[in-house]
Amino acid sequence: MCGIWASLGLSPDKRAIDLVAHRGPDGDGWEEIATQAGPLALGHRRLAIIAPDASGLQPMTYDDRYVIVFNGEIYNYRELRDELTALGRSIRTKTDTEVLLAAYAQWGEACLSRCNGMFAFVLFDKQAQRLFIARDRFGVKPLYYWASPKGIAFASEIKQFTAVEGFQARRDERGAWDFLVSGVFDHRRETMFSGVQQLRGGEYLSIDLAAWRPGGVPAPRRWYELPRPDSLALPMEEASARFLDLMRDSVRLRLRADVPVGTCLSGGLDSSTIVCLMSELIADDPNAQQHSFTCAFDTPGLDEWTYAKAVNEQCGTTSHIVSPSAEDLWAAIDAMIWHQDEPFGSTSIFAQWSVFAEAHKAGVTVMLDGQGADEQLAGYHPMFGAALAGHLKKLRLQRFVNEIKAIRRRHGTSMERLTGLVLASLLPRGWFTPILRLTGRSPAPAWLNTGFTAANEGDLLGSLRVPRTADASPLGALCAHQLTTTSVPMLLHFEDRNSMAHAIEARVPFLDYRLAELTIGLGEAHKLVDGETKAILRRAMEPILPSKVTNRQDKLGFPTPEEVWFKGPLRERILAAADETVEAYPTIFNADQVRRYARDMLDGRVPFSFALWRIICFGRWGQRFGVAA
């Protein structure tokens, strides 16, 4: 886990890698190479996880031909090393970086499909005069690029481009609209910064320096695709057994490290699964010590400690608990925004931030976390609509009725809410706006200026619409879309920045591609059964998890008492921050409406929502990065 930088044609400036020193406190490297297309600068900051001695320093050269800066981990590097040495490749170090270099030398771009891991890297082939830039299947590790008339640059974090002559922080209008209206970002190649783009998960760039010209950006190419949803049919017993085998092996691979490994533990199904499987896997190691980290609040409806405690007691885990306050949140806001690079939709990520801070304090360098499970397994309650729509489309009317009854019985979901969710999954795109209103989401808030709204609302949240195909169930398509486009990329952004801010490597076992191919291939099957979410995970883990965790029906996951804090100790600061935002960005916000909305929400005259935080965070982000009005 590290920070990387590469620039071609631009004046080399080591500040670009120093800006992410937090990503790699264990070493740094910088190399400048003369090429036929101009100077190539490669920078690296190292967080030493595997082979922590000097043999792992980067940029790393292989066979006097290939040089790389690499961020991430190749979990199956031992198996790849054995295969490559059998083919005659010389590998001197114990690092996964050299294995990746040897794999590229042996197989070229096809090496990507052989890697089970999370990675973002820039590799230069001196002989072929070619740059090869790639990102892992689901985009666990970040990789951004920015081009100017003088050259092109690649980075782990957007802030690194501020070190380049000619870069200006300007907002992307479409990105600002999608964030302010819906709270999402990272769902497009474009970012919140105009001109800054990212490789999507499963993409690569190949740049022939002989043909490339400054200012040019070649089109990214896909190297990985998920299987078609509903392409795999398995009975529950076989599917859950296969799920457990793959999940166990995923955790096993992600325990490979030469530093202490711990786990995030919210008390939910996903994180509890990881803790319990890790406990099994290290049971025979007398020197192993398992640490879990939990964020707990005494606010009714938000405290999951009783569930986390049951898991810790069963596994004999050394538990660490953090309970940050409203004051802690306010003190951390600017640092969080700087590390995140882009504004975020609620304060819930502060709980995760606090957990990683505690892990760093405890000396744990690698943390396993549960991202990706809800999206693959239909763990979010709004996904009820897609599941029910699938039954209607296939005329499974009795099951449709039975599922509605079960959902209402287990979760108390209203018929109005269910009706809106089902219609949103079934009706054509032209009906999208009124259906959003039925489901409680206003597409054009009154607190946005009419000019800003008119310029952006025409293709309302277009990239968020789930692709509809005749051969995929609504739920199967939705799971795949959330995994690759909407929910997971955004959560991985939070995970990466929160962990790296505290020099922690976060690993996500549910995003092992073998597991994702099983769950997506199953489509709608074994996900929502008799009103119970994530049915296949519950069945697989039933003998392993504490029963009170297996039988949980609510969904939280490191939340914060945002409403309590905003209406109480932070009230005046929230109102002041809203004022600052509207004054800084008058072309976006209707000042009177924002102020009225903020007071009405804090006084309880309108329902509490995360929209107020989005307004505030957008303003603080703009100030922090000097984004022009």
Side-chain angles (χ1 to χ4, degrees):
M1 181 74 73
C2 307
I4 64 173
W5 170 263
S7 64
L8 177 65
L10 302 169
S11 298
D13 190 334
K14 191 173 179 292
R15 288 180 302 160
I17 196 65
D18 293 338
L19 279 167
V20 289
H22 54 277
R23 296 186 72 93
D26 299 326
D28 68 314
W30 183 263
E31 185 172 348
E32 297 176 14
I33 303 170
T35 77
Q36 65 187 83
L40 171 67
L42 298 173
H44 190 260
R45 293 291 313 201
R46 187 186 186 202
L47 179 63
I49 303 295
I50 293 173
D53 59 20
S55 66
L57 293 174
Q58 299 180 39
M60 183 182 288
T61 301
Y62 181 80
D63 202 22
D64 292 325
R65 174 176 175 179
Y66 306 99
V67 58
I68 195 172
V69 283
F70 160 54
N71 171 30
E73 300 290 350
I74 308 300
Y75 301 121
N76 63 332
Y77 75 100
R78 295 176 185 172
E79 292 79 4
L80 285 174
R81 182 176 59 200
D82 291 343
E83 184 178 0
L84 287 161
T85 53
L87 291 170
R89 288 285 170 185
S90 173
I91 299 177
R92 299 174 295 101
T93 71
K94 296 180 179 180
T95 67
D96 58 337
T97 307
E98 189 180 12
V99 169
L100 179 57
L101 279 163
Y104 184 84
Q106 182 69 32
W107 298 304
E109 66 188 46
C111 72
L112 298 174
S113 62
R114 295 174 178 263
C115 294
N116 187 340
M118 55 179 186
F119 50 83
F121 65 83
V122 178
L123 185 150
F124 180 53
D125 181 340
K126 297 179 182 178
Q127 180 176 311
Q129 288 287 290
R130 179 176 296 275
L131 276 175
F132 185 72
I133 306 101
R135 194 176 184 195
D136 64 70
R137 292 170 177 84
F138 302 116
V140 182
K141 293 293 97 192
L143 188 53
Y144 298 97
Y145 57 97
W146 174 78
S148 79
K150 294 184 178 180
I152 190 169
F154 302 89
S156 292
E157 297 185 12
I158 297 172
K159 64 177 65 66
Q160 294 174 258
F161 298 123
T162 63
V164 181
E165 182 183 356
F167 179 80
Q168 291 183 333
R170 302 190 310 273
R171 69 175 181 269
D172 179 272
E173 293 295 297
R174 188 69 209 179
W177 166 265
D178 284 355
F179 172 75
L180 290 168
V181 172
S182 65
V184 300
F185 66 96
D186 265 4
H187 56 296
R188 311 179 305 150
R189 178 164 291 116
E190 295 79 12
T191 69
M192 291 283 285
F193 287 84
S194 178
V196 176
Q197 296 184 295
Q198 60 179 323
L199 277 186
R200 303 295 291 168
E203 290 185 341
Y204 73 87
L205 287 171
S206 183
I207 301 178
D208 179 354
L209 270 58
W212 175 82
R213 295 294 179 268
V217 181
R221 304 176 191 173
R222 289 216 63 81
W223 67 268
Y224 179 74
E225 294 282 0
L226 280 167
R228 179 179 61 81
D230 307 288
S231 60
L232 181 62
L234 296 173
M236 172 62 97
E237 185 175 353
E238 183 180 350
S240 59
R242 190 180 298 187
F243 183 97
L244 179 57
D245 287 345
L246 290 173
M247 188 68 202
R248 183 179 280 121
D249 195 56
S250 176
V251 174
R252 178 187 67 84
L253 286 176
R254 284 157 181 79
L255 292 178
R256 289 179 169 176
D258 295 325
V259 294
V261 180
T263 52
C264 298
L265 177 59
S266 69
L269 272 171
D270 312 333
S271 60
S272 298
T273 291
I274 294 170
V275 172
C276 289
L277 290 177
M278 179 177 172
S279 178
E280 280 190 357
L281 290 164
I282 66 173
D284 295 331
D285 183 352
N287 298 316
Q289 186 177 10
Q290 188 173 7
H291 292 261
S292 71
F293 296 83
T294 301
C295 190
F297 299 99
D298 58 7
T299 304
L302 294 182
D303 188 12
E304 300 186 273
W305 172 241
T306 57
Y307 301 104
K309 183 180 179 182
V311 173
N312 285 323
E313 289 176 349
Q314 176 176 298
C315 297
T317 307
T318 300
S319 62
H320 306 256
I321 309 168
V322 292
S323 299
S325 67
E327 291 296 330
D328 296 329
L329 166 67
W330 205 255
I333 283 177
D334 288 335
M336 290 173 64
I337 289 172
W338 186 81
H339 280 283
Q340 290 293 331
D341 275 334
E342 297 176 272
F344 43 94
S346 80
T347 64
S348 63
I349 71 167
F350 175 60
Q352 186 187 64
W353 169 280
S354 303
V355 162
F356 285 128
E358 184 66 20
H360 178 76
K361 200 183 306 181
V364 174
T365 310
V366 172
M367 291 278 281
L368 274 55
D369 205 353
Q371 304 292 11
D374 285 307
E375 292 77 10
Q376 295 180 61
L377 303 174
Y380 299 124
H381 292 185
M383 299 172 92
F384 293 159
L388 292 169
H391 298 321
L392 272 184
K393 284 185 69 175
K394 296 188 177 181
L395 299 179
R396 298 184 295 236
L397 301 183
Q398 189 59 56
R399 187 170 177 189
F400 174 76
V401 172
N402 290 342
E403 281 294 353
I404 288 178
K405 291 178 179 178
I407 290 169
R408 298 198 68 195
R409 183 179 68 250
R410 287 183 184 275
H411 308 288
T413 311
S414 71
M415 277 302 302
E416 180 184 17
R417 171 73 167 158
L418 287 175
T419 300
L421 291 171
V422 172
L423 289 175
S425 296
L426 289 175
L427 292 177
R429 290 184 176 185
W431 290 75
F432 197 75
T433 296
I435 295 308
L436 271 180
R437 291 192 176 97
L438 265 180
T439 55
R441 294 163 59 193
S442 172
W447 40 262
L448 287 176
N449 260 336
T450 54
F452 181 70
T453 296
N456 291 287
E457 193 177 17
D459 182 30
L460 176 65
L461 305 180
S463 56
L464 299 184
R465 295 193 185 100
V466 179
R468 294 193 176 100
T469 57
D471 55 356
S473 65
L475 183 59
L478 178 58
C479 287
H481 193 60
Q482 288 208 345
L483 180 60
T484 60
T485 306
T486 52
S487 179
V488 165
M490 186 167 55
L491 293 175
L492 290 175
H493 182 117
F494 301 152
E495 183 95 25
D496 174 81
R497 305 310 192 279
N498 279 341
S499 59
M500 293 310 302
H502 299 98
I504 299 284
E505 174 172 293
R507 298 177 174 181
V508 282
F510 280 100
L511 291 181
D512 188 298
Y513 74 94
R514 301 167 300 168
L515 190 70
E517 288 176 358
L518 170 68
T519 60
I520 297 302
L522 287 170
E524 67 177 354
H526 315 315
K527 291 183 168 71
L528 182 69
V529 178
D530 192 25
E532 192 168 57
T533 61
K534 298 192 276 197
I536 187 174
L537 174 59
R538 295 177 196 271
R539 178 70 65 86
M541 293 300 297
E542 192 172 13
I544 300 171
L545 285 173
S547 59
K548 70 184 303 179
V549 175
T550 309
N551 295 325
R552 284 191 68 179
Q553 300 301 318
D554 58 330
K555 172 65 186 167
L556 293 175
F558 286 170
T560 56
E562 186 167 306
E563 180 175 2
V564 174
W565 288 352
F566 281 20
K567 291 181 176 179
L570 297 181
R571 177 187 170 88
E572 295 308 315
R573 279 174 280 194
I574 293 296
L575 292 172
D579 277 342
E580 291 172 5
T581 296
V582 299
E583 289 170 5
Y585 297 98
T587 62
I588 295 180
F589 299 100
N590 182 315
D592 290 340
Q593 290 284 357
V594 167
R595 293 182 177 113
R596 183 180 301 116
Y597 179 64
R599 291 191 179 279
D600 284 350
M601 183 183 294
L602 298 183
D603 290 340
R605 288 187 291 273
V606 299
F608 185 84
S609 81
F610 296 134
L612 181 55
W613 170 258
R614 295 200 296 269
I615 294 169
I616 292 167
C617 192
F618 183 89
R620 299 293 281 251
W621 164 75
Q623 293 175 46
R624 187 66 181 82
F625 286 94
V627 179

